[in-house]
Amino acid sequence: MGVASKRSGGRAAAKEGQKRLSAADWASAALTAIGESGLAGVAVEPLATRLGATKGSFYWHFRNREALIEAALKLWEEGHTERVITQISVDPDPAIRLRHLLALVVGYSRHDHIEVALLATADHPLVAPVMRRVTERRVAYVASLFEELGVPADEARRRALLAVSVYLGHVQLAHAAPETLPQESDEWQRHLAAISTALLP
């Protein structure tokens, strides 16, 4: 009876642990899989194995794979755009915010496998509207910083488009030809300074 009790207790604990697995846990695992293998990496059974969960846990939170992808994309949008904007917006000086933003996102672009994967599937019906919304949000936010610096709205929009293009270009370069980017720390800092000088009024 003691062994049986321990086994049933272990199963109960395992089930309890699976109950505590949240939709956010699944979305985070799916987003990691996208960074590793693209949308094809979002498959229920491998993700369940990774999470130590069952398929039943998945269907408790999501009706199908598409719903999981949507949740992962929402998580990406919040973490890679909205959270960055919140972090940058703390400083009252728009010029400092712009420099910090450029340094942060261009620096991060060297390791951003998720954005590379999403750009590769930007025409997918689930990905396309999110990419459009995120891109417009980024451009609009950067344009607002230039406007705070006294740049007219049309010119601010043009500079913002250039800034976002620089970021996306770095994402692609870091993926396709990382050796073309500065490797040494001092050289990288000079590179960032040159970008800021080119973009800031």
Side-chain angles (χ1 to χ4, degrees):
M1 289 292 291
V3 173
S5 296
K6 287 181 181 178
R7 286 177 179 169
S8 67
R11 285 194 295 269
K15 288 181 179 178
E16 184 63 28
Q18 288 164 8
K19 287 179 184 176
R20 286 196 293 267
L21 201 64
S22 68
D25 293 325
W26 279 96
S28 179
L31 191 56
T32 298
I34 290 172
E36 294 170 350
S37 310
L39 289 183
V42 182
V44 177
E45 289 189 8
L47 288 176
T49 300
R50 172 178 288 191
L51 290 166
T54 65
K55 289 174 68 175
S57 170
F58 167 78
Y59 287 110
W60 178 262
H61 295 293
F62 301 99
R63 65 186 181 278
N64 52 34
R65 175 178 177 269
E66 287 70 26
L68 175 59
I69 292 173
E70 289 174 348
L73 293 173
K74 181 179 180 182
L75 187 64
W76 172 75
E77 181 176 1
E78 291 171 351
H80 288 239
T81 299
E82 296 305 327
R83 194 177 303 158
V84 172
I85 289 173
T86 299
Q87 178 182 341
I88 293 298
S89 296
V90 172
D91 198 293
D93 187 329
I96 293 176
R97 269 182 277 160
L98 269 169
R99 288 191 178 93
H100 285 175
L101 180 61
L102 287 169
L104 178 65
V105 300
V106 173
Y108 182 73
S109 70
R110 293 182 291 179
H111 314 289
D112 194 349
H113 303 294
I114 295 172
E115 186 121 11
V116 169
L118 293 178
L119 287 170
T121 54
D123 58 347
H124 188 280
L126 293 177
V127 177
V130 178
M131 294 297 285
R132 285 195 296 269
R133 185 169 63 245
V134 164
T135 301
E136 179 54 39
R137 173 72 167 124
R138 291 169 173 175
V139 171
Y141 176 70
V142 176
S144 73
L145 295 181
F146 281 117
E147 288 189 56
E148 284 188 58
L149 290 170
V151 178
D154 289 348
E155 175 67 10
R157 174 83 180 184
R158 187 183 71 81
R159 288 177 183 264
L161 284 170
L162 285 173
V164 173
S165 298
V166 166
Y167 162 69
L168 292 175
H170 276 78
V171 169
Q172 294 287 10
L173 278 174
H175 174 68
E179 69 280 356
T180 61
L181 294 172
Q183 302 299 313
E184 301 297 328
S185 178
D186 289 349
E187 188 181 1
W188 180 256
Q189 292 305 317
R190 287 194 294 272
H191 179 64
L192 290 177
I195 292 172
S196 294
T197 299
L199 291 173
L200 287 171

